[in-house]
Amino acid sequence: MPIELYSDEYFMQEALKEAQKAFDADEVPVGAVIVAENRIIARAHNLTERLNDVTAHAEMQAITSAANAIGGKYLNECSIYISLEPCVMCAGALAWSQIGKVVYGAADSKRGFSIINHTVLHAKTKVIGGVLASESEQILKAFFAKKR
Amino acid sequence: MPIELYSDEYFMQEALKEAQKAFDADEVPVGAVIVAENRIIARAHNLTERLNDVTAHAEMQAITSAANAIGGKYLNECSIYISLEPCVMCAGALAWSQIGKVVYGAADSKRGFSIINHTVLHAKTKVIGGVLASESEQILKAFFAKKR
């Protein structure tokens, strides 16, 4: 079945393209895009190795980039699409940004924010998990298989 | 009583100097320094307004800067001194950095990471709170009084 234009799956495919860029650069393959009014205003992928910086997760860069794009630091009207469930750091950053919607692909049972029994995200943020999850898992598995 | 050289209070005073820089720039006054072998390798203060970026907390910038200074992204041999208890985002970033020791001044009963009933920091990270807490609270109170 074709993916509908501007659906969650549509934007998740764009996040997966970013994850592929990370994969190609030998980075843990996680990608993110931020969308406002159906327009992608920020794209980023994990760069922790290249930047030698544990804070350089896809989401962190996307938040900074989106704030630049809209000229304001709050992202209430935006949605973020991330190929992997955000970690606690990224969820904390998303909370500060007051982002409207968080959509992620694969769950992260070890490092994902949802393992914490406390609302880390902003109370008004809508969360949807599991969008194109198998595609996201596939690229992560391929990466870690290559590393072994 | 004079403050002992290279004690936690000594380095916290340096973090407070950074907080003062934030205050002077009309930013929420939080400062941080990262120390390795009694040498300050990173200094930073909150810049969320100037950079228009919710991720520009003192700790986040200090982590990035310290990793640059030592040429490696893990900070196991380092200590961070922060005038205010880190938020969830910053605690998550400190966890990824595997930092050896976290020393903070004032507690943050609303946004601090310790309100979360789950170990956010790395299991091996030593945590000390309440160092020069009243000095840290004072500058924060002065800031919010000015804003009202």
Side-chain angles (χ1 to χ4, degrees):
Chain A
M1 209 170 74
I3 282 177
E4 203 184 325
L5 194 67
Y6 307 146
S7 63
D8 285 344
E9 289 75 14
Y10 174 82
F11 290 117
M12 187 59 77
Q13 279 194 321
E14 298 301 313
L16 285 165
K17 284 180 193 168
E18 287 297 315
Q20 182 63 48
K21 288 183 201 167
F23 184 94
D24 295 343
D26 215 26
E27 299 272 359
V28 175
V30 181
V33 298
I34 292 180
V35 175
E37 294 174 347
N38 285 337
R39 205 164 57 85
I40 294 174
I41 60 168
R43 295 176 174 272
H45 56 271
N46 177 38
L47 282 175
T48 47
E49 296 304 319
R50 177 143 19 130
L51 299 182
N52 194 31
D53 185 349
V54 295
T55 75
H57 284 192
E59 300 94 313
M60 301 301 286
Q61 299 175 73
I63 292 167
T64 300
S65 174
N68 278 336
I70 65 176
K73 64 184 194 292
Y74 297 116
L75 307 177
N76 311 64
E77 304 298 319
C78 302
S79 302
I80 188 167
Y81 293 82
I82 317 153
S83 59
L84 182 65
E85 181 186 345
C87 73
V88 174
M89 168 182 73
C90 293
L94 290 165
W96 285 116
S97 80
Q98 301 179 14
I99 198 155
K101 189 166 88 166
V102 172
V103 183
Y104 62 86
D108 184 348
S109 60
K110 217 174 138 190
R111 300 280 202 169
F113 78 97
S114 65
I115 57 169
I116 287 183
N117 191 17
H118 189 283
T119 310
V120 175
L121 290 172
H122 192 268
K124 287 190 179 166
T125 300
K126 193 178 159 187
V127 182
I128 300 171
V131 174
L132 303 187
S134 60
E135 286 83 340
S136 167
E137 279 160 17
Q138 216 163 19
I139 190 169
L140 282 159
K141 271 183 195 158
F143 179 79
F144 289 109
K146 191 177 70 169
K147 286 284 166 194
R148 250 177 252 128
Chain B
M1 208 169 73
I3 281 177
E4 203 183 326
L5 193 68
Y6 306 146
S7 64
D8 284 344
E9 289 76 13
Y10 174 83
F11 289 118
M12 187 59 78
Q13 278 194 322
E14 298 300 315
L16 285 165
K17 285 180 194 167
E18 287 296 315
Q20 183 62 48
K21 287 183 201 166
F23 184 95
D24 296 342
D26 215 27
E27 299 273 358
V28 175
V30 182
V33 297
I34 293 181
V35 175
E37 295 175 347
N38 286 337
R39 205 164 59 83
I40 294 173
I41 60 168
R43 294 176 175 273
H45 56 270
N46 177 38
L47 282 174
T48 47
E49 295 305 319
R50 178 143 17 130
L51 298 182
N52 193 31
D53 184 350
V54 296
T55 75
H57 284 192
E59 300 92 312
M60 301 302 285
Q61 298 175 73
I63 292 167
T64 301
S65 174
N68 277 337
I70 65 175
K73 65 184 194 293
Y74 296 115
L75 307 177
N76 311 64
E77 305 297 320
C78 302
S79 301
I80 188 166
Y81 294 82
I82 317 153
S83 60
L84 182 66
E85 181 185 346
C87 73
V88 174
M89 169 183 72
C90 292
L94 289 166
W96 284 116
S97 80
Q98 302 180 12
I99 200 155
K101 189 166 87 166
V102 172
V103 183
Y104 63 87
D108 185 347
S109 60
K110 217 175 138 192
R111 299 283 202 166
F113 77 97
S114 65
I115 57 169
I116 287 183
N117 191 18
H118 190 282
T119 309
V120 175
L121 291 172
H122 193 268
K124 287 191 179 167
T125 300
K126 194 177 159 186
V127 182
I128 301 171
V131 175
L132 304 186
S134 60
E135 286 84 340
S136 166
E137 279 160 17
Q138 217 164 17
I139 190 169
L140 283 158
K141 273 184 194 159
F143 179 79
F144 288 110
K146 191 177 71 169
K147 285 285 164 192
R148 251 177 251 128

